[in-house]
Every structure is written in C-alpha cells, then in structure tokens.
Amino acid sequence: MSLLRSTTARTRFSLPATTSTHFRSIQTATNRNQDSDRRQGPVKVSPTSPSFYTSRPVFYDQVAQLERAIATTGAALRRAQLLPLPAFAKASLPPPQNVWQSKEELGETFKTKINLTRYRKITTLLNELSEFHRIANAAGVADISQKIHAVVSLFESDKKEAYLARGKKKPVVLDAYGRSYTLGKRKTSSARVWMIPVQAPEPTTVPEGAQSKKSTPPTVPMTTILVNNLPLNEFFPLPADRERVTRPLKVAGLLGKFNVFAIVRSGGTTGQSGALAHGISKGIVAHEPALEVLFKKAKLTRRDPRMVERKKTGLAKARKAYTWVKR
C-alpha cells in the first residue's frame, strides 16, 4: 500500500508555471470587466423616433411628418411666388375632390384607435396639403405637385371614384333614329318614355299659273302621346292627369314638336301621370340641352320624393283613428 501511494503521488498532474500564470491573468481581467459592467448598468439603445415614449408613437410620427411636409411645401411655393394667393386666384382653382379614409381605415394605418378629435386633426392637415397640391397643379409646378400627390394618395380612400360618381346623372344618348329613352318615377309608379321629333310635312309646290279656289291654312304638327298603346285621353280620363303629362311640353313651348310613346307600370293614375311627366321632362332636356336650367328651376327634372305615409298599428290609416267610445 505504501508503494502504491507513493507512485500515485509521483504521477499527479501539474501545469507549467507560465500556463497557470496566464489563466490567472485572464480570470482577473474577467472579474474586472464584470465589476465595471455592474457599475455602468445595462447598455441603453437610442429610441427609433422622438415619440417613442408616448402612448401612440406611430400616430405622432405621422402627424409630425405631415406637418413637416406642409412646412416644406409652403416654403417651396413661397419661393416660387405662388403664396400668398390672391382671393380671385383662389376662387378660380378647380374644386377639391378629396375623399379621405375613414376612422377605422386610418386606425389600421396608425396602429391605434382614431377618435373624432384625432381624425379632425389628420384631415385638417391633409386638406391643407391638398390645397397646396391644387395651387401647384394649376401653376404647372410638376415636381412639387408630384411630391404632394405621393403623400396625399396614401390617405385617400379606395372608394373615392365611386363616391365622386355618386349623384351624377348619366347623359341621355340619342339613338340612330334620333329617339331618346328615359325613365320617370313618381310614388310607386314608373314610366319608360321614348320621344322622337315630329317631322315637318314637306311644302307642296303650286304651279305659277294655277290658283286654288280655297286657300288651305298650313297644317300644324300635332303631338301624339301613346300610353300603353292607348291615346292619352283614353288612358287618363281625368283632365288633371292629362294636364300634368303635357305640362313639360307647354313650359318648353314644344307642344307638337315631339311624339311620345310610354309604358307605365304600378301605382294609380296620379303616380303614373307624374312618372310620365318626369320621363318627358328628361327626354326634352336630352333633345334640347339649353332648357336644362329652365326645367331645374321649374323642378320638372327632379324626382318628386313625396310618398304615401305608411299606415300605423292601431289606426285606421296613417293618422286617422277609430271612433273612441267611452261606454
């Protein structure tokens, strides 16, 4: 046993002196670095934006960028001597056609909930930027106009064209035979109306030597109005309905200048006559565009919005009540 112990003691592993000294220096340097890190604390990273510490950094960054774009564009327009703009020049600019995104769509863009106050702030900035775009576009400054358009287009709604086209009436186009096709409505009635100008009769030539015994007056063209293949006086026996139908022709002074063919559906005689008059008015404007202003003032081309009031529960009619008896 003593021999074994002495052999084991002789074969114990030992490092060279230079290597152990190197390891001690590395450990000392590591301990110093750890102590310095504890004193300095964690390494701070600079924020990505000035609005990093706010509750809505994306929103305030976008607002700051819009304000910066307005300031830069205004300075460029002033250098181009386009600002300030006189009142008469501002009145001659084309009307603005801006359709901005809704609050929900802007909320997805800004990654935050947009209330009414924030929405008004954004739209106010966008309207000011759009005003600069109108000035630059009218003055022909292409570079400024393109830069503003690139910013404004990011906030425009996808439904802009459909919204701007709303309320615009489609022009009535005459066919190859000069006929116009219009649609008139009143209450629950609808009328499809075809109108064609009356062709004037060709003048008859009388020989120079021949003289007629009786001088016949020139024939005056008459307006033919057919409603559901029936003459006007047969389809509308009441004079008030016939007067309502012929009123657009009398107001325009074109009685006897057009033939009218119509198909009416639904409703009673009052609604059908009003729908027919509405269709005739639109047809006259298609043939004579100069009468559009007159017909607008007379409210002939306007669809009458009045409808029959609905019946209420517990009443005899819309407002008529049943007779109340106490006992």
Side-chain angles (χ1 to χ4, degrees), residues 31-258:
N31 294 336
R32 289 174 182 172
N33 292 336
Q34 289 178 356
D35 294 341
S36 63
D37 291 343
R38 291 194 193 98
R39 295 192 205 98
Q40 293 177 1
V43 179
K44 295 182 179 180
V45 182
S46 59
T48 56
S49 68
S51 306
F52 176 76
Y53 297 102
T54 62
S55 59
R56 300 174 181 85
V58 179
F59 171 77
Y60 289 112
D61 285 345
Q62 294 285 351
V63 171
Q65 289 180 5
L66 287 176
E67 291 175 348
R68 199 177 303 115
I70 290 172
T72 306
T73 308
L77 292 177
R78 289 186 188 91
R79 285 195 299 269
Q81 297 183 356
L82 295 175
L83 284 180
L85 200 65
F88 71 90
K90 186 178 291 186
S92 63
L93 292 175
Q97 295 182 346
N98 303 323
V99 181
W100 308 122
Q101 295 179 359
S102 62
K103 292 189 292 185
E104 292 74 14
E105 294 173 344
L106 287 177
E108 295 178 0
T109 304
F110 294 146
K111 298 179 182 179
T112 184
K113 184 178 180 181
I114 302 297
N115 58 11
L116 186 58
T117 303
R118 301 189 193 105
Y119 186 74
R120 285 177 178 173
K121 184 175 183 178
I122 295 170
T123 52
T124 301
L125 296 174
L126 291 174
N127 288 332
E128 189 173 355
L129 201 59
S130 176
E131 184 76 13
F132 290 163
H133 178 260
R134 291 167 56 204
I135 295 173
N137 197 17
V141 186
D143 53 346
I144 299 177
S145 177
Q146 291 175 0
K147 291 178 181 178
I148 299 175
H149 180 71
V151 177
V152 170
S153 60
L154 298 175
F155 302 95
E156 287 185 341
S157 176
D158 297 335
K159 305 176 183 178
K160 176 181 178 179
E161 295 183 0
Y163 185 83
L164 294 176
R166 188 176 60 180
K168 290 185 178 180
K169 298 179 181 179
K170 294 182 179 179
V172 180
V173 181
L174 305 181
D175 61 3
Y177 301 99
R179 294 175 300 186
S180 65
Y181 170 70
T182 54
L183 180 66
K185 290 187 177 182
R186 170 76 171 97
K187 292 186 179 180
T188 59
S189 304
S190 61
R192 291 182 290 166
V193 182
W194 290 266
M195 293 181 62
I196 186 170
V198 176
Q199 296 181 357
E202 296 181 359
T204 56
T205 57
V206 181
E208 296 180 357
Q211 293 182 356
S212 57
K213 297 181 180 178
K214 295 182 179 179
S215 60
T216 58
T219 59
V220 179
M222 298 296 293
T223 297
T224 301
I225 301 178
L226 294 180
V227 185
N228 292 357
N229 291 331
L230 292 176
L232 180 65
N233 57 352
E234 292 184 16
F235 192 85
F236 292 112
L238 296 179
D241 294 336
R242 295 197 296 269
E243 184 67 25
R244 191 177 297 111
V245 171
T246 57
R247 181 169 179 262
L249 295 169
K250 292 180 180 179
V251 170
L254 299 175
L255 196 61
K257 298 293 182 66
F258 294 97

